[in-house]
Amino acid sequence: MKARKRVGYLPEQPHFYGFLSGFEFLKFHSRLSKKKTTSAEILSLLESVQLGPAAHRLLSDYSKGMLQRVGLAQALIHCPELLILDEPMSGLDPDGRKLVKDILLKVASQGVSLFFSTHLLDDAENLCDDLVLMSKGEVRYCGELEKAFPENRRFFQLQDLSGNSDELNTLNVQSEEEFNAKLKELVLSGATIRRASPQRQSLEDLFSEINRAERGKT
Amino acid sequence: MNSLVQVSLVTFKELLRERTLHGLLVIFFLMSLFSLLLGQLSFAEQIKMSLDFGLSIMHISMVGLSILLGSQLIHREIERKTIFTLLVRPLSRTQYLFGKFFGLWVLMFFTAFVCAMFLSFCLLYFGAFYFFEVFLSAFGTWIECGFLIALMSLLDQKLRPPVAVFCGFALFLIGHWFETLEHFVEKSPGGVLFYLHQFLSGAFPNLETWNWRTLVVYQEFLTPEDFGRSVITGFLWIFVYLFLASFLFERRDLVA
């Protein structure tokens, strides 16, 4: 019971009591969590998930994105130390996803540990410090996100070297030294450089590669 | 305790919107009015006939509500997945089950009150003041409803709602036919019926214990001792069945 007071949880496709308003719903959950929360605190939490104007509307009138956000608010109502979320961004439109992502980043910056499952690897890449990659019920990788990528898969990218925007030229170099030398050389030769940035393989690419490798083994 | 009250309040609020409740209440109101008309057909004892029929309709409506709503009490929460965000709170399954039970039982209390009020005023319209009798009978029915809700909470742990409803009604009938069963056992001792009777009388209450309709209609005397004994027995049976239900609920795999 003590541990439960420190955990917030949001299930995938949350179903809540449609006959309660957003405000009543959070009040109910705050009381179940045995936390004294004032009406002002509940309204402020609803504001933080951009549901202030809908605070007194019935949950049955909420859209999927709104339900996801009120679900997030109920998971946060008792100021948990650990937040467990099941597919928090699935089925949301791009705006909704961005909002949920921003809320999660804000919560994480306040010292709350986030633990969530997702099929959207882009989100995982943006939000996680550590990850567990699973495929067909087996763990394929467990550890820090940055260490998931092999050293030789990180590279530096120089884009639009010729200044011809119709044909985008990209040059990839492996090391920082090589990148600096190449950049200097190109600037001196008068090339237009639109973009120069460190890059690495995406998590989706890495995941596909791991799966391919596994299939190859079998 | 506070969590239990919170769950009860939300359950009460939720069940107030139930169509089954509205439907059965409408049927009760119509049938009560019909019972008054029926009384007019009788040459003598018009009021007694109306009272008897009205109380029976109230009993059937409330029992029907308890069995139908009781069978869905937990099952629907699992099906709609609303239970999962609640059970991660510092709330035990037993507290949750008791909260759901009390939510429905309190609703049945208000339903009994409204029905008894309506019936009493209908009878008053014909010049008969039967408030005490009607409320006493409604109270007995309310205790029986409490037992039936606890029974349905128990059946809900192992059976799907339609099967649970069927079993609930069957056990309700058995509970009211204990004396008939006893009579058959006396006539054929030693048979399967004997063991069935032995088992049922140990594991199931005689629901006629809280049937005060006949006493009320024929103005027979219910002593305070009998009344107190019946109420205490009722509460004991309710808690025994609730604890059995919570024992199963604590061990139930909600995801499977």
Side-chain angles (χ1 to χ4, degrees):
Chain A
M1 288 290 173
K2 273 184 188 170
R4 286 194 206 172
K5 283 186 187 173
R6 298 162 63 191
V7 178
Y9 170 65
L10 174 69
E12 188 187 5
Q13 294 172 344
H15 295 264
F16 303 128
Y17 295 123
F19 56 91
L20 295 179
S21 69
F23 180 82
E24 289 170 329
F25 176 70
L26 290 191
K27 202 171 170 182
F28 171 53
H29 274 274
S30 125
R31 285 182 176 170
L32 281 186
S33 303
K34 298 179 172 65
K35 186 177 183 291
K36 282 180 185 157
T37 316
T38 62
S39 298
E41 282 171 330
I42 294 174
L43 286 172
S44 142
L45 185 58
L46 281 167
E47 286 288 349
S48 73
V49 292
Q50 295 189 6
L51 285 174
H56 296 288
R57 262 168 61 189
L58 292 182
L59 292 183
S60 55
D61 296 335
Y62 276 27
S63 68
K64 183 169 175 10
M66 290 165 91
L67 282 175
Q68 199 80 7
R69 278 181 277 146
V70 83
L72 205 52
Q74 67 79 28
L76 293 168
I77 188 80
H78 56 303
C79 308
E81 292 165 40
L82 171 66
L83 197 55
I84 300 173
L85 314 161
D86 189 1
E87 300 273 1
M89 276 153 300
S90 72
L92 295 180
D93 59 25
D95 281 348
R97 273 174 65 186
K98 187 179 178 321
L99 184 61
V100 170
K101 221 184 282 187
D102 289 346
I103 295 166
L104 293 181
L105 284 170
K106 191 179 160 194
V107 166
S109 72
Q110 289 164 354
V112 177
S113 303
L114 296 179
F115 180 87
F116 70 94
S117 64
T118 183
H119 282 89
L120 305 167
L121 296 183
D122 193 32
D123 294 333
E125 204 168 350
N126 291 332
L127 289 168
C128 294
D129 296 322
D130 298 280
L131 87 157
V132 177
L133 282 177
M134 290 186 74
S135 173
K136 291 173 185 162
E138 282 182 31
V139 175
R140 304 293 187 204
Y141 175 79
C142 176
E144 285 177 39
L145 174 71
E146 284 308 319
K147 288 184 183 167
F149 301 97
E151 276 295 322
N152 60 354
R153 299 296 163 84
R154 294 178 201 177
F155 52 91
F156 296 87
Q157 197 173 60
L158 289 157
Q159 221 170 50
D160 199 1
L161 309 176
S162 65
N164 179 357
S165 57
D166 293 337
E167 197 181 315
L168 199 70
N169 292 313
T170 303
L171 177 71
N172 293 330
V173 288
Q174 293 294 327
S175 68
E176 200 167 350
E177 292 77 34
E178 198 185 344
F179 170 75
N180 286 334
K182 203 75 189 171
L183 186 63
K184 199 172 173 184
E185 186 187 312
L186 287 166
V187 169
L188 288 174
S189 68
T192 310
I193 299 167
R194 297 281 166 112
R195 187 175 159 178
S197 57
Q199 299 281 317
R200 62 163 160 71
Q201 197 180 20
S202 76
L203 196 54
E204 264 179 15
D205 292 337
L206 179 74
F207 186 71
S208 307
E209 204 168 282
I210 290 172
N211 271 342
R212 269 200 303 275
E214 283 300 321
R215 276 199 297 270
K217 272 186 205 170
T218 54
Chain B
M1 194 64 181
N2 183 42
S3 306
L4 193 149
V5 174
Q6 292 305 318
V7 174
S8 298
L9 285 174
V10 167
T11 305
F12 180 80
K13 201 172 175 185
E14 181 185 21
L15 293 173
L16 267 182
R17 299 168 159 256
E18 269 295 324
R19 284 182 190 162
T20 319
L21 173 72
H22 305 159
L24 276 170
L25 277 179
V26 168
I27 291 171
F28 166 75
F29 293 139
L30 293 176
M31 293 301 277
S32 297
L33 294 174
F34 178 69
S35 74
L36 298 175
L37 289 176
L38 202 71
Q40 300 303 302
L41 298 175
S42 169
F43 287 112
E45 299 188 324
Q46 294 177 353
I47 295 296
K48 271 188 184 170
M49 202 167 163
S50 299
L51 179 66
D52 195 9
F53 192 73
L55 289 178
S56 301
I57 292 300
M58 182 166 72
H59 179 241
I60 292 167
S61 306
M62 286 183 57
V63 162
L65 270 176
S66 304
I67 291 179
L68 291 173
L69 297 181
S71 69
Q72 307 245 333
L73 215 50
I74 304 288
H75 185 268
R76 191 166 46 184
E77 295 270 336
I78 297 170
E79 206 173 61
R80 289 182 183 171
K81 298 177 185 169
T82 42
I83 194 171
F84 298 114
T85 46
L86 300 182
L87 291 183
V88 290
R89 302 279 166 202
L91 169 79
S92 72
R93 289 190 184 192
T94 301
Q95 280 176 316
Y96 176 76
L97 182 92
F98 274 60
K100 297 295 288 180
F101 167 82
F102 282 116
L104 179 52
W105 203 26
V106 170
L107 179 79
M108 293 316 297
F109 181 83
F110 284 103
T111 309
F113 182 81
V114 169
C115 291
M117 265 310 204
F118 184 78
L119 192 61
S120 302
F121 276 108
C122 284
L123 293 167
L124 193 64
Y125 180 76
F126 288 93
F129 192 84
Y130 273 102
F131 278 79
F132 176 74
E133 288 80 353
V134 170
F135 274 89
L136 181 67
S137 176
F139 185 70
T141 305
W142 177 66
I143 293 178
E144 185 180 341
C145 286
F147 171 73
L148 289 171
I149 299 167
L151 170 72
M152 294 315 290
S153 306
L154 177 65
L155 294 177
D156 189 22
Q157 303 308 319
K158 291 288 169 194
L159 304 172
R160 294 193 67 77
V163 186
V165 167
F166 178 78
C167 292
F169 274 113
L171 288 169
F172 161 74
L173 291 176
I174 291 171
H176 277 281
W177 290 340
F178 255 40
E179 280 167 26
T180 317
L181 195 65
E182 237 168 50
H183 174 74
F184 281 119
V185 169
E186 279 167 17
K187 295 284 174 199
S188 56
V192 179
L193 217 52
F194 172 77
Y195 293 106
L196 180 71
H197 178 258
Q198 287 289 311
F199 170 73
L200 284 174
S201 50
F204 205 74
N206 182 350
L207 296 181
E208 284 292 311
T209 313
W210 307 292
N211 177 9
W212 299 325
R213 289 191 311 281
T214 323
L215 295 177
V216 160
V217 171
Y218 296 102
Q219 294 183 322
E220 288 174 22
F221 193 64
L222 178 70
T223 62
E225 289 77 29
D226 284 344
F227 174 79
R229 201 178 303 118
S230 302
V231 172
I232 291 168
T233 312
F235 285 159
L236 285 176
W237 275 109
I238 289 169
F239 283 104
V240 165
Y241 270 67
L242 265 185
F243 276 110
L244 281 174
S246 81
F247 177 81
L248 292 180
F249 188 48
E250 287 283 350
R251 282 148 190 83
R252 184 170 173 181
D253 182 2
L254 299 178
V255 184

